[in-house]
Amino acid sequence: MATHFELPANLTAEALFASLNDKYETHLVSNQFFLKTYYDSFDWRLYKADLTCEFNRSKQSSSFTLINRKTNELVASTILFDVPSFSRQFNPGKVRQTLEPILEMRALLPICTLEGETSLINIVNKDGKIVLNLLIDEFELLNNRLTLLPVKGYNKVAEQIVEMVTKELGLSAVDRPVLLDALKLQGRKPKSYSSKLTFQLTPEMPTDVACKSIFTHLLSAIKINEQGTIADIDSEFLHDFRVAVRRTRALLSQASHVLPEEALTRYKDFFSWLGQITGETRDLDVYLLNFEQYKKKLPAVIRQSINPLQHFLLAKQKKSQKQLAKKLNSSKYMTTLAEWQKYLQAIPHENPPETETQSTIKHFADQRIWKTYKQIIKKGGGIDKHSPPEALHNLRKTCKKLRYLMEFFAGLYPERRIATLIKYLKNLQEVLGSYQDYAVQQQQLQQFSEEMQRINTPNKTFLAMGVLIQDFEVRKGKARDQFSSEFSIFNKSETHSSFHTLFGAGK
Amino acid sequence: MKILALYRIKGGVGKTSSAVNLAYNAALGGYRTLVWDLDPQGASTYYFRIKPKIKGGSKDLMAGKRDLDGLIKGTDFANLDLIPADFSFRNLDLLLDDKKHPTQQLKKRLSPLAKDYDFVFLDCPPSISLLSEAVFKAADVLLSPVIPTTLSLRTLAQLNAFINDNEFKNTRLIPFFSMVDRRKTLHKAIMGEVLADYPDMLKTAVPYASEIERMGLERKPLPAYKDKSRAADAYSELWQEILTQMKT
Ligand SMILES: Nc1ncnc2c1ncn2[C@@H]1O[C@H](COP(=O)(O)OP(=O)(O)OP(=O)(O)O)[C@@H](O)[C@H]1O
Ligand SMILES: [Mg+2]
C-alpha cells in the first residue's frame, strides 16, 4: 500500500482535511510551521547510500532524522539543535553509528531548505481509538503532500482512505523524496559532484582535442574544490584538488607535442607550484585524520601523553591552511588559472598533425602506457635489498604516472581487462605507497619534535613520539620486505602479455 | 525480548493497572513493548479502546493456524502494541490440556516475536490453572502485586514455594506492594516486616489512588491523562526499579 501522496496543485490542505472530516472522525493534533534543511556531504555520500538527512525545526521541536529514501523508512532520529560538521561530533547513538562509516572525513553541508506548515491528524473510531495517523505538509513552492502513518492491525481504514484520496480527490502516490523536487526548483540534482573521471573519449579523437578535454575536466575539478579548500570545510576538498593538480601534471608531462613549448613550460611550472603550496597542509591533514589510529598503536599507559602532538598539529594545520587559502586567493593563482582555461577553450591548432595514425588519442595512449609500463618493469627489476630508498621512491612516481594514464584512457580499452590490470598496479602501488608514507611520516615526526622542543612540551610526549617513530620504522621495514614479492606478482609473464596485447601490439 | 507476567491468584489486586502503566512507561523509554491480554474479561484491552476480539478465537491460535503477529494492534502510543483478549480465552485451559506439552505453548507462540519487541507484558487472569503454568514457563519475570495484609503474605510465600519447587526455576518472582494506604498503620507495619523477609520485594509501592480508578472512565494509561501525580510517579519509579532488578 502506498503511503506517500502528492496533492494536486489546486487542492489545498484545508480542503483535503475538510473532505476527510466529512467521512471520518478526525482530530487535528497539531499544526505548526517548520523549517526543513536537507544535509549531505559535498560528494552526496548519504544520497548515494540511499539516505536523506533532514534537520527539522519547529516551535516545539528540533530534530535530525535519517530516512531511507527508497523505502521511506526511518533509519535513525535524534533531538538536535545545531548540526555539527562531522559525524564524529554527534553524540553516541544510532545516528552517529549510521553516519560515521558513510561520511568518514567529509563534512555535512546544508543542501537546501524548505519552509512550510505541517499538520498531524488522527482518525479515530467509535471507541475513540486512533486507527490512522496522517501528516499533511504544505510547502511554499511545491505541491503539498499527504503521508499516511498506518496503525498496526488497522489496515482497512488506511486502504479506504487511499482509495478515497486517489479516486475522488486526485492525489497521486509519490515515491521520490521532497528533496528532489526542492532541488529541481533550483535547477539542481543530486550526485552532481563525484571525484571520478567522467569524460568520454573515442579512439579516433585527435590527440590534442582529447587531451584538452581531459585537461578541461581536471580544471573543473580544481575549480569545484577550490572554495571548499579555501574555506577548510573538510580535508577532502584539498585532497580532490590535489589529485586534479597531480593528474594535470602527469598529462602535461606526456603532452610535449600537444602544447607549444612555451605554454608547456609555463603551465608545468604553475601546476608544480600548486602541488608545492598545497603539500604541507595535506600532510598535516593526513596526520590528523590518522591520529586516532596512531594513538591506538601506543601502549595504554602512555596513550594520553601524545595529546600535545595533536594540539600542535591542529595549530600548525590552521596556520598552514590560512597561508594556502591566501595563495589560492592571490592574483597569480587566479590569472594563471583563467589563462589556462582560456587556452583550453581556444580553437586548436597551428601545427597540423604529423600523420593520420599518430594523431589519434588511441595511438597516443597505447604508446605512453606501454612505454611507462616498460619503465616500471626495468626500474623495479633493478631494485634489490641494497637499493637506496630513492629507487623505491622513484619507482613509486612512475607507477603513479602509469595509473593516471590508464585511468585517463580506460574508456578506450575493454573495461574488464583494463580494470584487472589497474588492480594489479594498485596492489604494487600500495606497498610502495606505505613504504613512502611511513618514511615521510617518520621524518616529519622527527621534525615536529624539534619544533616542539621550543614550545615547552612535556617529556613524556617526546617519549610517546619516539614510540611512534619506532613503530613507523618497523612498518617501513615490513613494506620494504613485501616489495620484492609484490613486484614479482606484478612482473608475471601473464600480466606482461596482457599489457602487451592491450597497449604494445602496435610495436 | 524479556517477558514479564503480571500474576497473582487473587483478583482485583492491581495486575491489569500495573501491566498497562508499566508497559506505557517502558514504551515511553523507547523500548518496543507489547501487552498480551490473557484475561477473557479483557480489562487491559478495554483501557486501550481496542475491541476484545481476535480472529479465529483461541481455538485457531492454539491450533497454530494463526501467528500472534497477525493479531497485534497498535495502541495510540508510540512503541506500544497489544494483543487483545477474546471471550474464548475462558476455554484456554481446555485447549491447552489437549496439547502434548501444554505448558510450553505460550513460550512457543511468543518466540517469533523476539526480534520485534524488547518487552512483553502478560496480563493474566486471577487463577491457578494450566494457563498459569504456561505463563510461569514463558515468563522471565513474574511481577506480583501484593496488598499489605497478613493473608497476602501467606499466599506470596506459597507462590514462591510453588515456583521454586517445580520446573519453573528460570522464572524470577518479583513482588511489589500495590494499593498501599499509608494512613493505615497495618499497611505500614506489614510492609516493614516483609521488606526484611523478601529482599526481592521492590522498594517502590503503588499507592491507593483515586486517579488510578479513573482509568476505566478515561480508557487510557494513567500517565496519558494525569502525568503529574503521585501514582503516575510511582509507576515510573517502579518501572525503573524493575529495569535495574532485571540487570542483576
Ligand atoms: N493503586 C490503586 N488505587 C486505587 N484503585 C486501584 C489501584 N489499583 C487498581 N485499582 C482499581 O482496582 C480495581 C482492580 O484493579 P485491577 O483491574 O488493576 O486489578 P486486577 O488484579 O487486574 O484485577 P482482576 O483480578 O479482576 O483482573 C480496578 O477498578 C482498578 O481501577
Ligand atoms: Mg486484571
Side-chain angles (χ1 to χ4, degrees), chain A residues 124-131 151-154, chain B residues 48-51 69 72-76 81 219:
Chain A
V124 297
N125 65 12
K126 289 195 300 294
D127 296 318
K129 164 84 182 75
I130 299 171
V131 289
V151 177
K152 197 171 161 79
Y154 296 90
Chain B
F48 285 112
R49 300 171 182 248
I50 292 171
K51 291 198 175 61
D69 187 61
I72 297 174
K73 300 279 176 186
T75 69
D76 290 1
D81 293 342
R219 298 186 74 182

Side-chain angles (χ1 to χ4, degrees), chain B residues 22-232:
Chain B
L22 290 173
Y24 179 92
N25 273 291
L28 198 66
Y31 294 108
R32 299 162 303 164
T33 308
L34 177 70
V35 176
W36 188 357
D37 190 352
L38 288 166
D39 189 339
Q41 304 209 40
S44 47
T45 305
Y46 179 82
Y47 288 145
F48 285 112
R49 300 171 182 248
I50 292 171
K51 291 198 175 61
K53 196 159 176 50
I54 62 171
K55 279 191 208 115
S58 48
K59 220 176 184 167
D60 275 14
L61 180 63
M62 284 303 151
K65 277 195 199 152
R66 281 179 206 278
D67 288 339
L68 272 190
D69 187 61
L71 308 177
I72 297 174
K73 300 279 176 186
T75 69
D76 290 1
F77 311 98
N79 297 324
L80 186 52
D81 293 342
L82 174 121
I83 301 176
D86 190 283
F87 195 52
S88 64
F89 278 6
R90 70 194 189 286
N91 301 324
L92 220 46
D93 261 33
L94 294 175
L95 289 167
L96 283 173
D97 211 14
D98 283 347
K99 288 274 175 184
K100 253 204 202 119
H101 304 288
T103 57
Q104 302 282 1
Q105 295 303 317
L106 279 190
K107 200 183 172 92
K108 199 170 130 194
R109 307 286 142 194
L110 278 166
S111 64
L113 298 177
K115 59 185 183 325
D116 300 328
Y117 294 98
D118 300 309
F119 292 111
V120 179
F121 288 84
L122 304 177
D123 184 12
C124 305
S127 69
I128 178 93
S129 60
L130 211 45
L131 173 65
S132 334
E133 289 186 40
V135 166
F136 300 162
K137 199 83 194 160
D140 298 288
V141 172
L142 282 190
L143 292 171
S144 202
V146 177
I147 302 175
T149 63
T150 16
L151 192 64
S152 21
L153 293 183
R154 279 240 310 279
T155 43
L156 183 61
Q158 282 165 0
L159 178 60
N160 204 13
F162 184 76
I163 301 246
N164 286 322
D165 289 353
N166 285 274
E167 72 234 72
F168 310 119
K169 286 247 159 62
N170 294 328
T171 298
R172 187 158 155 199
L173 178 66
I174 304 186
F176 63 94
F177 288 118
S178 174
M179 300 177 150
V180 173
D181 190 344
R182 298 248 169 216
R183 289 164 309 184
K184 289 190 181 155
T185 17
L186 185 63
H187 275 196
K188 272 208 280 200
I190 291 176
M191 282 170 73
E193 202 175 297
V194 173
L195 283 173
D197 285 357
Y198 283 92
D200 262 0
M201 190 79 174
L202 297 177
K203 306 287 169 291
T204 316
V206 180
Y208 189 92
S210 59
E211 58 258 29
I212 297 180
E213 277 176 302
R214 239 179 59 216
M215 272 173 71
L217 294 171
E218 297 280 353
R219 298 186 74 182
K220 278 175 193 165
L222 166 69
Y225 61 86
K226 196 131 172 80
D227 186 21
K228 290 193 177 58
S229 60
R230 212 157 53 84

Side-chain angles (χ1 to χ4, degrees), chain A residues 109-144:
Chain A
L109 296 170
I111 303 288
C112 67
T113 296
L114 286 174
E115 257 178 84
E117 211 174 308
T118 185
S119 308
L120 174 62
I121 293 156
N122 293 155
I123 297 202
V124 297
N125 65 12
K126 289 195 300 294
D127 296 318
K129 164 84 182 75
I130 299 171
V131 289
L132 182 67
N133 297 298
L134 303 167
L135 273 178
I136 304 180
D137 288 324
E138 294 172 83
F139 299 103
E140 279 296 307
L141 297 161
L142 299 171
N143 284 352
N144 299 335

Side-chain angles (χ1 to χ4, degrees), chain B residues 13-26:
Chain B
V13 294
K15 296 184 292 292
T16 298
S17 313
S18 305
V20 168
N21 291 318
L22 290 173
Y24 179 92
N25 273 291

Side-chain angles (χ1 to χ4, degrees), chain A residues 397-410:
Chain A
K397 288 214 278 201
T398 316
C399 285
K400 219 166 200 175
K401 198 156 142 190
L402 178 61
R403 173 76 172 277
Y404 287 149
L405 288 172
M406 289 173 80
E407 283 174 351
F408 289 152
F409 303 121

